[in-house]
Amino acid sequence: MNPLHDLAYLFGGAFLCNAIPHVVAGVMGSPFQSPFAKPPGQGLSSSTVNVVWGFANLVVAYGLLLRIGQFDPRALDQIGAFGLGVLLMGLLSARAFGRFHGGNAPG
């Protein structure tokens, strides 16, 4: 068990989770927020930019998950770190994107 590997897996989960909305929006041909919009993270980027940004996130996730250490999905510390990264990025994304898409409505 290497804590630095677990940290890499946490960030790998976060990057993998971040790739999903960008790739999906881009493939659907929909504009979506990205760091390259004006203002960053609030304005809309083209579907092409989102596919490229989502793919870049997938490449980083691959590097962090499968090129650092020996990621074993049966190892609780490793899958826990990965899952925590997915959960944290998912919650942050839900709050951030919910402001623009009505996902933060009470209820």
Side-chain angles (χ1 to χ4, degrees), residues 86-106:
V86 170
L87 176 65
L88 292 175
M89 181 56 78
L91 291 172
L92 289 171
S93 296
R95 297 296 300 165
F97 297 139
R99 293 184 322 150
F100 304 104
H101 301 281
N104 292 340

Side-chain angles (χ1 to χ4, degrees), residues 10 21 31 33 37 42-43 49 57 66 73 75 96 98 106:
L10 179 122
Q33 289 79 19
Q42 296 181 22
V49 167
N57 276 267
L66 300 177

